[in-house]
Amino acid sequence: MGELVWEKRQFGHRARLALTPAQARLMDDQAHAARSMWNQLHDLWQMTPKCQRSLTRMDQTLRQARKEIDWYAALPAQAAQAILKTYMQAWRNWWDGRADEPNFKARFRTVMSVDIPQGRDLQIKRVHRRWGVVNIPKVGRVRFRWTKDLPVGKHADKDNRITGARLVKDGLGWHIAFRVQTREPKPEPHTGPQVGIDAGVNLPLALSDGNHQDHGQPPRLPDGTADRDKWLNPDEKAKLLRLEQRAAHRKSFRKPKDHNSNRLHRTYDQIKQLRARATRRATDWQHKTTTAIAKRYGTVVVEALTITNMVKSAKGTIDQPGKNVAAKSGLNRSISQEAWGRTVTMLTYKTAHQGGTLVKVPAPNTSLRCSACGFITPDSREDQATFVCKNPDCGWSANADWNAARNILHLYRMGHALVPAAGRAVVRRTRGVKPATAR
């Protein structure tokens, strides 16, 4: 038996906060101050000549703004410094081609968040089987849902500790995302079987061995259109429809260039709550499904998809209008709801944690090639869900997503792997040139 090898692991854990109305107002003030500070930094960066841009100049401006603007005092000093670091990192991500160019953050379209960069400021303590208490700077002691054991108290040391956190608000309220660092034994190589996975719309995850993963709900309505609210029960869907109709009615009374009324904002908040609940259920299904796959299979093979190109609009231009624009819009919406990219991200780190491997293979023709004979024809898809081989000597038919999953696994066995699980494909580009796949 070999010597036990230890490795550091970093992961995040998100918990829901139980705030009083006064604490919620303080958190909102911090988030609005953080957004305004980001916009001020971006404004200064755009106005400063390139030869004079520097981290020192930005830091001095930030400190001066905190002295002159009263409501900036709601934001802790460490959180303000974290905004500066995040802003500079955003520019580095753009220069390296990993993200879009940083821009201004709008009030109603930006996720409200505040960073707590130092873990020692949190002072976490477990007070109940289901509840813990965390210290939030300039807010005080706040309860949060204890759903996972955290390295706090006597269980914390230099290798197992919480390094920081981020406060995030969605339609369901404020949450805290802990950054956890642990020291764990390096997993042994996974000896499980190989499997190919095809991400689809009718069948969320089709596996090459037939053990398909479905979320138990029909992805399409009887008329064939995509059900954009499939994660809500019938009562929630009816409530969402009433709220959307109410919002449209109240919006009809708004004059051009006028602000939305408080009633309309309250209606929008109720819609956000239902949307956030659906997103939470979808993410929970993804976590449970990808964990089960990572524990069962040693090698997971997926397609190298460029999802941003797949969900582009088909409306075209005035001179060359597109065809089947409504159908393509419904398909784009269904692809976005399935969140294929997030599924691959989860599989990547979960297979590595279990000692397995995730591999990507080329995507072209995996849906059009017959997995029984290898024959490729453009009209082999009878419909969205069925594949029929047009080879006169074959004629094999099966679920289209299952056929694609078998082809994906076959490509890996033939040596067409592109990206191993432990590595992340980073496309380098010339500075200032925006890639087509940038998010």
Side-chain angles (χ1 to χ4, degrees):
M1 184 174 180
E3 183 180 358
L4 189 63
V5 180
W6 295 82
E7 64 178 5
K8 287 186 178 182
R9 180 188 174 214
Q10 296 181 347
F11 63 93
H13 172 64
R14 182 166 171 166
R16 188 171 182 178
L17 296 173
L19 299 171
T20 64
Q23 291 174 337
R25 285 193 296 270
L26 292 174
M27 299 272 288
D28 290 345
D29 293 341
Q30 288 192 17
H32 287 305
R35 179 187 58 82
S36 300
M37 193 168 292
W38 172 284
N39 291 339
Q40 183 182 9
L41 288 173
H42 187 66
D43 195 14
L44 176 65
W45 182 273
Q46 297 287 3
M47 293 188 301
T48 304
K50 292 184 178 180
C51 59
Q52 299 180 10
R53 293 174 180 173
S54 65
L55 180 62
T56 303
R57 180 184 178 89
M58 302 286 285
D59 182 59
Q60 292 175 351
T61 305
L62 186 64
R63 294 175 184 272
Q64 186 66 24
R66 286 179 55 82
K67 295 179 181 179
E68 297 178 355
I69 303 177
D70 295 337
W71 48 274
Y72 271 179
L75 190 67
Q78 295 294 337
Q81 291 296 320
I83 295 172
L84 177 59
K85 294 179 181 179
T86 304
Y87 182 77
M88 299 306 296
Q89 183 61 44
W91 278 109
R92 284 190 287 268
N93 292 340
W94 179 67
W95 292 332
D96 294 338
R98 296 191 296 267
D100 285 342
E101 181 180 357
N103 207 336
F104 289 98
K105 292 188 176 182
R107 180 186 179 107
F108 296 108
R109 294 191 300 270
T110 302
V111 177
M112 299 177 66
S113 63
V114 180
D115 199 26
I116 305 177
Q118 296 181 351
R120 65 172 180 267
D121 295 336
L122 298 172
Q123 303 176 13
I124 302 171
K125 182 180 179 181
R126 187 173 187 177
V127 296
H128 189 264
R129 183 171 62 91
R130 295 184 177 180
W131 291 97
V133 178
V134 60
N135 180 69
I136 298 178
K138 295 199 173 185
V139 175
R141 304 291 284 176
V142 179
R143 294 190 307 154
F144 68 93
R145 292 286 293 179
W146 190 283
T147 57
K148 183 180 181 65
D149 289 336
L150 299 173
V152 298
K154 63 181 181 180
H155 302 289
D157 52 39
K158 65 177 183 180
D159 295 325
N160 300 274
R161 57 194 177 91
I162 295 178
T163 59
R166 171 165 290 187
L167 307 171
V168 183
K169 186 179 183 181
D170 61 8
L172 298 177
W174 279 99
H175 299 73
I176 183 168
F178 297 105
R179 293 190 288 268
V180 186
Q181 175 183 298
T182 60
R183 185 170 179 263
E184 300 177 356
K186 187 175 181 180
E188 296 291 334
H190 201 301
T191 58
Q194 301 173 348
V195 66
I197 299 180
D198 177 73
V201 175
N202 290 283
L203 188 60
L205 294 178
L207 276 62
S208 57
D209 60 356
N211 186 25
H212 308 313
Q213 302 295 320
D214 194 355
H215 36 62
Q217 300 175 10
R220 292 190 173 271
L221 299 174
D223 59 357
T225 58
D227 185 2
R228 61 195 297 256
D229 305 317
K230 58 189 174 185
W231 293 103
L232 300 177
N233 59 42
D235 292 338
E236 292 170 336
K237 289 182 180 180
K239 181 179 179 181
L240 179 61
L241 179 60
R242 291 195 304 269
L243 290 173
E244 290 178 339
Q245 292 174 344
R246 185 184 305 169
H249 176 70
R250 290 176 174 173
K251 190 176 179 180
S252 64
F253 293 97
R254 189 188 66 178
K255 297 180 180 179
K257 298 182 180 181
D258 283 354
H259 295 291
N260 293 334
S261 64
N262 292 332
R263 289 184 178 181
L264 183 57
H265 279 306
R266 285 195 293 269
T267 305
Y268 283 155
D269 290 340
Q270 291 177 302
I271 294 175
K272 288 180 181 179
Q273 289 180 0
L274 291 174
R275 296 291 186 198
R277 191 175 302 170
T279 302
R280 191 175 185 178
R281 291 171 182 171
T283 306
D284 179 70
W285 178 86
Q286 280 185 309
H287 273 293
K288 293 178 179 178
T289 304
T290 52
T291 299
I293 292 174
K295 289 181 178 180
R296 180 171 181 176
Y297 299 100
T299 302
V300 179
V301 189
V302 298
E303 293 177 295
L305 297 174
T306 308
I307 301 176
T308 52
N309 292 340
M310 297 175 62
V311 296
K312 286 185 177 180
S313 175
K315 63 181 181 180
T317 61
I318 298 178
D319 298 332
Q320 296 180 350
K323 299 180 180 179
N324 298 325
V325 178
K328 183 62 168 63
S329 299
L331 178 62
N332 293 348
R333 189 164 52 247
S334 299
I335 293 174
S336 299
Q337 289 174 353
E338 293 298 336
W340 296 344
R342 187 170 59 195
T343 300
V344 174
T345 301
M346 291 180 181
L347 284 173
T348 300
Y349 70 81
K350 290 184 180 182
T351 51
H353 184 58
Q354 297 292 332
T357 305
L358 185 136
V359 182
K360 293 183 180 180
V361 297
N365 296 325
T366 55
S367 299
L368 302 179
R369 182 185 295 110
C370 177
S371 59
C373 66
F375 196 72
I376 300 176
T377 51
D379 56 345
S380 56
R381 300 288 291 268
E382 291 290 331
D383 52 40
Q384 185 66 24
T386 307
F387 175 90
V388 178
C389 181
K390 299 301 181 180
N391 186 356
D393 299 330
C394 180
W396 186 73
S397 63
N399 179 274
D401 296 328
W402 181 42
N403 175 74
R406 285 160 53 99
N407 288 327
I408 291 170
L409 180 59
H410 181 70
L411 286 174
Y412 166 70
R413 291 175 174 174
M414 294 297 293
H416 295 285
L418 293 179
V419 182
R424 179 180 177 183
V426 178
V427 180
R428 300 291 178 179
R429 62 180 176 85
T430 305
R431 179 177 297 185
V433 179
K434 184 176 180 180
T437 58
R439 291 180 296 174

